[in-house]
Amino acid sequence: MQIETAYEPQRFEPHWAEWWIRSGIFHAAGKNSGAASRPVFSLVIPPPNVTGSLHIGHMLEHTEIDVTIRWHRMLGENTLWLPGTDHAGIATQMVVERHLAEQGILRRDLGREKFEERVWQWKAQYGDTIKRQMIRLGASCDWSRERFTLDPGLSAAVREVFVRLYEKGLIYRGEYMVNWCPRCQTAISDLEVTHADVQGHLWHIRYPVNGMPGRYLVVATTRPETMLGDTAVAINAKDSRYLDLHGKTVQLPLMDREIPIILDDLADPEFGSGAVKVTPAHDPNDFEAGRRHNLPKVKVIDELGRMTTEAGPYAGEDRFEARRRVVADLEAKSLIAKIEDYPMVVGKCSRCSTIVEPLISTQWFVRMKPLAEKAIDVVESGRIQFVPANWVKTYNEWMYNIRDWCISRQLWWGHRIPAWHCRECHEILVAREKPPSCSRCGSTHLEQDPDVLDTWFSSGLWPFSTLGWPAHTEDLATFYPTSLLITGFDILFFWVARMIMMGLEFMGEVPFRHVYIHGLVRDAERQKMSKTRGNTIDPLIVTEKYGTDAVRMTLLQGATPGNDIVLTEERMEGSRKFANKIWNAARFLFMRMQSAGVEPWLPESLAAFYPEASADTLEVPVEDRWIFSRLNSTAEQANRAIEQYRYHEVAQVLWQFFWHEFCDWYLELKKLRFRDENTGPNADWRNTLAAFETALRLLHPAMPFLTEELWKRLAAGRSDRPVSIALALYPQYRSSATDYAAEREIGILQDIVTMARNLRAESKLDPKQPVEGTLYSHGNALEIARKHAEAIHRMANVKLALETGSAPHSPVMRSTTEFDLVLQLPKAREEAQSRRKEKEREQLIKNIESSERQLSDEVFLAKAPAKVVETIRKKLEDYRAQLHKLNGSL
Ligand SMILES: [Zn+2]
Ligand SMILES: [Zn+2]
């Protein structure tokens, strides 16, 4: 029972982190392994990026997950938290590219195979960072089931899904306008484009109308270089200004190409001149218009952001350089009608901030509408519940307007698309493995599609691919559908929605029943944390400084559903003090036990949560009965709060219990009792230890390290106990365990002590100065005050005389429905108090006289606004009432 003087979490946290993993206590059992009868609770981790390291947002997410997971495990359920990481295509490729560039190595020089090797090497070296950090922070994952999205098993699942969707007609290859990042050299999804406000220009360009000398159509554009690829000019059929131009053509300046004037609603009579240029190869709306009118697509900008040979004299130039020259050349020909400043929004690559270029390219797509329909239904019908529920609206908005998903990426790191191109007949063969020959021409010249899949394609399969799908595994049968997903709102569409669609399509069942969406971690000024702002909090640094338990507790305290979390070091310091308080309570208990010659044992009542209320409770000291009753209420609140993802309430309830009930009251009362009954093992010890042990179990999901450390000391050497508090039962509420009589008795004692302390404080009495007072009981307070006279004396340093009835008026008095409490202040203090009151009385009398004078002054009354007069009247009443009260107390 040796216990160190100081609470030093750094001393024991790493030990338990390692021991938990080594002892295998977080391992979940499959259905056939004897766990069939136990309820199952399962959750898959939102897989962090393999290149990443843990940031405070992860720690918040993992703390919330861990509290829920540990709670279910302590409820006796077969509990799985499946961990793993995501290969994170573009993000990882960029990190490794940068890493290689520092050594002067370029990706393209290495070649695809060598580059992929380098990424795997990189993963082997750094890919475990997150895992090591998660273990250190106490995440109770089943690491024997760890997965990586590029594992052979998960890759097979990806190919299986691709082939099945293709065969069902839900995957197709098509020409499409995509967002292209010329820097990353890949198509990116709409969701990966960030939008920035910039001050741009609107150039108004004159296009000469053929056959009508001197007649021009003016078109306005923010990207003049794209005019080189114009294949039409559109006017609105209803625009009366241009009725005579129907069926005519214009001459495209600089390129000297004749292009038609078309009638299309793309032209808005209200905007600019009402005529617009049409560039089907470089604008998504023009692309659609081009389809409607069967226009050719002239591609003048290439994948590197340079002008193509189609751009004639501008070929080979960078797109922005070409813009300057096109404008200059148009000006030289007097074809610029005007230039306006124009605030506009540009799309940028969310990875590298390069301005995105809309380009046409051939990509692979998933047809989303048929998949989305079922995914909308399961949320509407409540088969999947979002917490907070208002996220359903955001989800639906996206799902009802869903567009086909471009799934191909021009990267090297990721799942290569399982499609092979025949070099002889250009047939495309989609298959799980490379086909031996072309099914159409028999050629063996087959080449796999160079593109890889969007990284969200594989993570969309995560809830079942990680459990062994497409094989019918025991894990899949045991843990799918998973119970809960905890994640951030920023990946609601990228990931959550796609998991729902894929789960329904391939498992015929939702992937999870509940989705809890957590907030962002912000700093004291409610600013988002970011490296550029320099306000980030590194979880590894603060856990080293304050202890993991304290940081976890602080995160939980801020985690109110639907809100962001404000995190500051001051709050962590507060939580460290809380942990320290518990440590000191344990020290006190352990030391008392030692000096009383008590062996380190756990009370017999461990298996039960607290003693049954029974006939012999009368022999149990009231403070014990009270603490068990309070534990019972705390258990009720804690269980409900965890169940409803109200993590802030979990923290608050446990904090309140441990600090303000167990330490401030229970232990203080116990100290008084131990002072008198320090005679060895007795019922008091048993109950105190049982209460402490129960409280540790209540706290364990929130503060796993401290509770394990103390619980293990209590359980030392007991072979009939679980090996870890993580496997002990979580205390449950029982209505029979509420002891109303004990709660009432201690409640009145608390009122007496608190009020006496408050009165002392208000009268600015030194805590060491003893005072006397009288308690006037109107109910049962008399008996209680008599029984606890010693406690009241020691806790409030006041000796009370006991009376029945009501107290006479006194300046130093407090009342409840049960009693009045009056303190007698020492003579000097009392005289000072009277002098102050006498002064107060004189002032009141002056005020009253002055108000009365005003109210009897008829001139004043006639002039003053009614409101003012009313105020004075009210004040006068107030002064009189105060004076009356004061006279009573003097
Ligand atoms: Zn980019
Ligand atoms: Zn062929």
Side-chain angles (χ1 to χ4, degrees), residues 90 94 180-186 188 348-354 356:
I90 194 166
M94 277 183 65
W180 184 270
C181 175
R183 152 72 194 82
C184 298
Q185 287 281 295
T186 180
I188 54 180
K348 291 185 172 183
C349 169
S350 64
R351 297 280 164 201
C352 72
S353 289
T354 301
V356 165

Side-chain angles (χ1 to χ4, degrees), residues 569-585:
E569 293 215 17
E570 286 85 346
R571 290 183 190 196
M572 293 182 221
E573 178 56 31
S575 298
R576 200 197 60 77
K577 284 186 180 141
F578 175 65
N580 193 51
K581 185 106 180 159
I582 295 168
W583 184 265
N584 285 338

